[in-house]
Amino acid sequence: MVLLQVQRLLCIAFLTLLVSCAPLPDLPSGSLVPGAFDLTGRFLVRFREGASSGRVQWRHSDPVDDLLITSPLGLGLARITRTDSRFDLKTADGQSFEANNAEDLTESVLGWRLPLTGLPHWVRGRPKPDSAAQAVSDASGRVVELRQEGWLIQFEDFSNAYPGRIHLSRPDLDLHLVIESIASGTP
């Protein structure tokens, strides 16, 4: 039984090495439209079936998202794209999945929920508009904690205009995001 599990893990690792998602192409300087951003960072997620860590490269605009999730070594694990309200997820082994909801899609394929509809606002340290929220601000007026859409979002490390670390949690999920860089159009 243990040998079978080890063989499965080695097979998955080998497939991941063979098939990786291509990185997002670089944007020319000054090409971001208002509300858009390019983000790179690292993540750690703990969920009921396990844990995962790696890197994220994300290009966001109002009509489109392109999010690449890689292993800590940079090998592609999954690519999530959104066009308007349609979400597609492609795994490193070439399987494709689609849905109208990113959280359900990522939970069914990756095993954990990615709140892609709220995340563009949360990485900027603010609540998602048109959705009830409870916020706690620090003495300088920055939001340091937010409860919204079933998530507890905690913001840390405001060395730049946006938080450098974000912790998102639900009863069965902890997601830590370290933002290494974020290039943004007008907020």
Side-chain angles (χ1 to χ4, degrees):
M1 182 73 157
V2 172
L3 181 59
L4 181 61
Q5 288 177 335
V6 170
Q7 288 174 332
R8 287 175 85 192
L9 287 174
L10 287 173
C11 183
I12 290 170
F14 181 70
L15 285 173
T16 302
L17 284 171
L18 288 177
V19 182
S20 65
C21 298
L24 301 176
D26 290 332
L27 279 179
S29 179
S31 66
L32 289 175
V33 297
F37 61 79
D38 271 358
L39 179 146
T40 58
R42 295 174 283 130
F43 73 92
L44 169 65
V45 61
R46 291 184 186 104
F47 51 104
R48 55 187 175 287
E49 284 94 29
S52 182
S53 66
R55 302 193 51 76
V56 62
Q57 188 175 3
W58 180 16
R59 178 167 296 146
H60 167 81
S61 68
D62 285 336
V64 177
D65 279 294
D66 192 355
L67 186 124
L68 177 63
I69 299 172
T70 64
S71 72
L73 299 174
L75 299 173
L77 300 176
R79 177 175 236 129
I80 302 165
T81 56
R82 175 189 60 88
T83 304
D84 297 320
S85 62
R86 190 74 190 152
F87 297 89
D88 296 294
L89 189 151
K90 186 171 184 173
T91 60
D93 61 4
Q95 294 185 45
S96 293
F97 305 87
E98 46 184 76
N100 293 323
N101 176 307
E103 288 193 29
D104 292 341
L105 178 63
T106 54
E107 183 173 38
S108 68
V109 178
L110 303 176
W112 49 278
R113 299 176 75 79
L114 179 66
L116 197 55
T117 57
L119 208 52
H121 307 282
W122 301 337
V123 297
R124 295 177 179 154
R126 61 183 185 218
K128 178 182 170 189
D130 302 326
S131 180
Q134 298 173 329
V136 175
S137 299
D138 65 10
S140 62
R142 292 181 298 219
V143 176
V144 293
E145 185 176 288
L146 181 64
R147 291 184 185 275
Q148 191 171 36
E149 298 185 346
W151 293 90
L152 170 62
I153 306 107
Q154 298 167 306
F155 305 101
E156 301 174 8
D157 185 15
F158 286 91
S159 56
N160 297 311
Y162 302 120
R165 290 185 308 203
I166 301 170
H167 176 217
L168 299 102
S169 60
R170 294 174 70 112
D172 59 349
L173 177 78
D174 278 312
L175 174 60
H176 299 267
L177 177 63
V178 175
I179 300 171
E180 295 172 343
S181 70
I182 185 167
S184 179
T186 308

